[in-house]
Structure formats: C-alpha cells, structure tokens
Amino acid sequence: AMATAPHVVSGTVRCNDQYNFHLENQAALCIPTDTGGMDIMATTQWQDTCIETVSQILGIPESRISVETQRLGGGFGGKIYYNAPVCGMAALAAYVTNRPVLMNLDLHTNMQSQGKRTHYVFEYQVGFDDDGRIIAIVATGYGDVGALLFNKGDEYTVGYIDNVYNIPNFKWTVQPVKTNKPVSTAVRAPGTAPAIYGMECMIDHVATYLKKDHLQVRKLNLMQDGDTTLAGVVLEHCLIKDVVAQLEAQVNIAQRLQAVSDFNKNNRWRKRGFHVMPNRYAMVWEGRFYTTSIYVNHGDGSVHICHGGVDMGQGINTKAIQCCAYKLGIPMDLITVKPTSTIVNTNSKYSAGSTTTGLVCLAILKCCEDLLERLAPSKAKLVNPSWREIIKQAYLDVVDLRAHYMPQIKDKYPSEHYSSWGACTAEVELDVLTGQYQITQVDYLNDTGTSLNPQLDIGQLEGGFIMGLGLFLTEGFKFDPMTGQLLTDGTWEYKPPLGKDLPINFNVKFMRNVPNPTGVLGSKIVGEAPVSTGACVLFALKRAVEAARAEQNNTDWFPFHAPATVESIQTACLNDLAQYTFGN
Ligand code: MTE
C-alpha cells in the first residue's frame, strides 16, 4: 500500500518522560502484630503487590499481613507498583526492631527512585493521496523502559495509536529500549497520550506537506461505525463526527481562524495559533476485578461499602455512594465507604485504567439488586414501610444483610469495549522573541455518556487536560547521561503547570443526550481521556511558530517534540530569525 501511495512523508518525533506528581509521596506505616504478622497502612493503588512484597521479604504467609488504604493524595499511576518497595523496606525495619515504622519519602527521593512515564521516540512513514487521505502507515515506537524489561514499552499503545482515524494499512511496532534509569511506570494515560500525540504528529505532517487546512485533513480520515480499529475493535456508536461538528458550530472555527490570520498579518513579533484536535479513549477492562460488598447495619439502616478500588481523587467513593443510594432508594448520607482493606478486599486488581470506578459501581448495583431481592419477603409483611422498618424486620427474619459481587469479564454490562470521543480547540498567543506564550482560549467537548456526576467529571476533564499541558509543554527532565541519575528532582527544575499556565478562557463541556448503551447507568469512563487532549495546545503553538517561520519563507515541516518548552519554542522561531535579524 505504501508503494502505491501518491505521496510519502517520514519523520521522527519524541514524547518525553513525565513524573506522576502526586502531592502525597510514597508512604507506609508498618505495625508488627502479636501473631508475627504485619498491619500496614500504605499509599498504594494496588494493595496485593504490597502484601506479596512483604510476604516474600519477611518469609511469612500473606494471610498474616493486612494492608489498609483510606485514600490517596493523588496516585496518577505512580502508586500501582512503586509503593511496594516502600512497604517492603518499612516492614523489614518493623520486623527486625519489633516496633512500628513509618516510612514517608520526601519529594526528592520520591522523584529519584520512582520510574517515570515511558519516553517514546516515534519513527514513521505515512503514505497518502492528494487530498490527504491516509493510505498506509509504518511506524515504530521506541519506548525507554528503564533498567528492566518490565512493561515491554507497549502500554496498550496499539489501542490508541490510530486515535480517531481509519487507517486502512497500519503497521505498528513497539521496540522497548533498556536504559540506566529506574523502570518506567504508568502515568495517567500511559502509552495512550504519547501514542495519540504520535498519530497527531503524523497527520500534522501530511497536512503541512500538502499545505492544506489541518482540520479538513483530519476530518477526511475520521472513523465511523463499522470501521475496525488497529486493536481489532469494530466500532459501534462512533460519535467522533458529531463531536467535531458540534464543536465547530460551538466555537465558530472559520471566524476564529480568520481572526488569527488577520492578527498574524499585522504583527511581526507576536503570533497567534489556532488548532483543532479530535481524540478517542478506548475503554478496555479485561483482567480487572474488584471485590465489592455492601453491609446494612440493622440498628439504623445505615449502609457501609467495602470495595477493592482506591480513592485517589478520581471520585470512586462518591460515585459508589451515588449508585448505592440510587438503587436502594435511600439518601446518600446513610451510606459510607470504608477504607480499602485486604481483610475484606484481598484479590482485587490495581485501581487504574479509569475502569475501576465503573466496575465498582457496576458491582454495587449488582449487590443492591441481590439485597433488595432478599429483603422483599420482609418488606411484604409491612404496610408502606420506611427503609429502617424493612431492615429491622429483615433482621428479625434473620436475613443476611450483606451482599457481595465481583465483576467478571463475562459480564457484558458494561461492554468490554467502548470509546469515549472528544475534540478540542486551542488558541495561543506567542512572543516570537522569547518563546513565551499565553493560552488564550480552550474549548473542549467530550462525550461522557450520561455523566454519573457532572461536577466530578468536569473536574477530571479539566485536571487531565492540565496534566496533558504538563506532559506536552512544561515537564522536561534532565538525566545524567553516564549514570542515569535524575538531575531535575524538585520543583525548582521540574515544572508541572501552575495557575498562570492555565488557559485564560477554559470551556469544558459534555456532549448532550448521548447515553452510553453499554456503560454503567449510561455513563462513560473519564479519568484519563483528557490527558492526550493537552497536545492540542502544543499544535496551536506549532501553528504560531509556523506563522513566524513563514515570514522567513520557510514553510517546511519541522518536528515539534514534547515537551515543547519555552526554550524549544524560542529555538524553533530563532533558527530563522537569527538569519533575518543579523543578515548572516
Ligand atoms: N484524579 C485525581 N484527582 N487523582 C488521581 O490520582 N488518577 C488518574 C485519574 N484521575 C487520578 C485522578 C488516573 S492515572 C487514573 S487511571 C484514573 O483516575 C483512575 O480511575 P479509576 O480508579 O476509576 O480506574
């Protein structure tokens, strides 16, 4: 297919490492028990790894160890694996001294010891026709996995590398690269965000090469129902064309592009850039399971939930309470979520992939159905009873007032695969001489199905997008090339976005009236989808840099690596401006 393509371009782009930047660092409090075991409170996204680690280090059965987690001060993937060594070290010290030991890493140690987001270098060749319709892609992602081949550098990139485009011939290879850095780890949208950025770079190259409108080239290649993604999923309920159309109407793209073009004609040292980027987040939940139980207290009818997920700010406990209240028909303040504990929730998977909340909610709905069925005979004995009266009667009838469920892969509800669709526009104003810029406006439209909790979901979309701004614009690392040691291990040198880096106008909206037929109560997952969308601002900046370069009669494509820091943006402009200014 590549050989028959009228045009072929090739290039290399990189997407750097990123640190999870949870505000709370890795910590573990280990207390020896009188049975020769260990009670642990740990800041982990996966308690079972802590138990396994401690069991192996101390040589005691897993059943003598328990791990409890109330909630995390942020996890962002960094506490899936990297809490286990902290538990292991603290437990060893507690075991040897027979005293409680608290280990709480400081920021520098946390940043030094913990692996980062896998750093990818994408090498690609794209074949396409005169209009920009893509015919073939051959691409390789070189993933810096650190000192061990632990995650194979893949991170489900195959599920995301085609983003929202139907590419009839796509050869995608991942090549893990071993380096002298700590083993890379999941960071919100692992593999996903870099892969989508890689795809967007490829299609950007096509549009620049053909000197065509970037949105038109993207629209030409959009997926639709019946198309098969690279990961082999046949699309149903594909909304991407609707999302893009709605966003186009909402923000009046044609008018905005004209205004940017007028501004750029009238200004030599300040340039504006405007860009539209669509994106897809594929929900995959194979291999995820979370033991979930609800218990009703007979004294007052209050309910407590024990689930195997961990609340890290994504709102899992709030949504769990909502689903329980909705199904049982009782007020939310009658329901509490207990800390996640291996005493009742052992054998749960890590909280990640944005699927935990959906699966725990699904399990709670099933628990409630089960419980309501068991309560029905007691209820039937009473006339118009309150919830409290039903529970009192059920207690007298010796009804088991707990219910338990573990979602299985065989559950087709929610379906094994669906995608959430989004599109974003970003406008920036760049100071050509310094590389500094303002993000003047971002409009982001996302399909969350019927949101279970709009405030939470808007928060996730905004927060994820801003984390994407860090990945694509500000969070650059420096490592010692000889030793692999991190040289930028604090906020003096490493810059996650802060208040003044945010878009001045930041409008985040949901698609309306698009319930997800296969999601929990019509909803869609939301936690990681927005990270890749942050790349829209990088491309808007690229448009602004192109406007500056065009005045040097340079309209060639150039790679724009992530993070596009102020320094690199300025350099991208300066290369040509040096010639212009000094005439050499
Ligand atoms: N939101 C907050 N506030 N804090 C976090 O640590 N983690 C993100 C996302 N949103 C995170 C967050 C990541 S990395 C993931 S995978 C999902 O939440 C986890 O959602 P889930 O528990 O529903 O799978």
Side-chain angles (χ1 to χ4, degrees), residues 74-77 188 312-314 352-357 460 527-528:
F76 303 114
R188 198 175 191 173
M312 59 192 107
Q314 85 281 46
S354 303
T355 47
T356 323
T357 305
Q460 285 293 301
E528 291 165 287

Side-chain angles (χ1 to χ4, degrees), residues 215-236:
L215 177 58
Q216 294 314 320
V217 171
R218 281 169 172 80
K219 279 166 72 173
L220 209 58
N221 289 285
L222 289 180
M223 288 169 170
Q224 57 189 16
D225 277 350
D227 287 347
T228 307
T229 67
L230 187 62
V233 177
V234 180
L235 292 173
E236 291 172 69

